[in-house]
Amino acid sequence: MDILSLPIEMRDSDIDNRFRLVIMASQRAKQLSGGAKPVIATKYTKDTTIALEEAISEKLEYITGDEAVKAKEMAKRLEVKKAAVLAGKEGAEEELSELEKDLKVYLLEKAEAERRKEDIFGEKGE
């Protein structure tokens, strides 16, 4: 079935242009394929068609302009935090024991001393 024969029609919608409609529908289809439940009862089974019908029926909320830019930045920060939590890296410094912290400081100081020797003598100290 091609896009021209779809029974969904956009009439007097608040969506200002078809490009915004495409973006809204594609983002919603991604959510639906990720397990989100449809917000309307529909006879369609494909995620893309359901998303398009939801967008046209004005059941999806959207933001534009500066508000959208801020929301996108916040979403990116949340994704980074989520990835860090999943990787177990958040709070990793707090989980180190005192001995591990002391060892880390010692190794850093030793490396700095070696660099200073190289600077003074021009080659690695023996």
Side-chain angles (χ1 to χ4, degrees):
M1 175 186 291
D2 62 324
I3 194 75
L4 297 176
S5 63
L6 283 176
I8 299 172
E9 293 181 12
M10 187 170 148
R11 297 182 194 148
D12 299 331
S13 176
D14 283 340
I15 300 171
D16 53 352
N17 61 47
R18 61 184 172 187
F19 302 108
R20 188 173 320 280
L21 174 67
V22 169
I23 291 170
M24 287 173 56
S26 68
Q27 289 176 352
R28 181 62 181 154
K30 191 175 185 180
Q31 291 172 351
L32 290 170
S33 67
K37 301 291 180 198
V39 294
I40 59 173
T42 181
K43 64 181 181 181
Y44 302 110
T45 57
K46 291 185 177 180
D47 292 336
T48 51
T49 311
I50 294 169
L52 187 58
E53 188 175 21
E54 287 178 351
I56 290 173
S57 65
E58 299 174 12
K59 298 294 181 185
L60 302 178
E61 294 181 20
Y62 67 96
I63 53 177
T64 59
D66 291 337
E67 192 178 358
V69 171
K70 289 176 186 175
K72 190 172 184 177
E73 288 172 359
M74 185 180 292
K76 190 179 282 188
R77 278 188 249 132
L78 288 174
E79 278 297 316
V80 169
K81 283 184 181 179
K82 181 180 175 183
V85 168
L86 292 176
K89 293 182 180 179
E90 186 173 83
E93 286 292 321
E94 297 169 358
E95 295 178 6
L96 292 177
S97 69
E98 288 299 315
L99 181 61
E100 291 173 318
K101 289 179 183 178
D102 290 342
L103 181 61
K104 192 174 184 181
V105 168
Y106 170 75
L107 291 174
L108 289 173
E109 288 175 352
K110 185 176 179 183
E112 183 62 33
E114 287 294 323
R115 275 187 249 128
R116 277 187 261 151
K117 279 184 187 178
E118 288 177 21
D119 290 340
I120 293 171
F121 298 110
E123 58 185 52
K124 284 191 175 188
E126 314 248 10

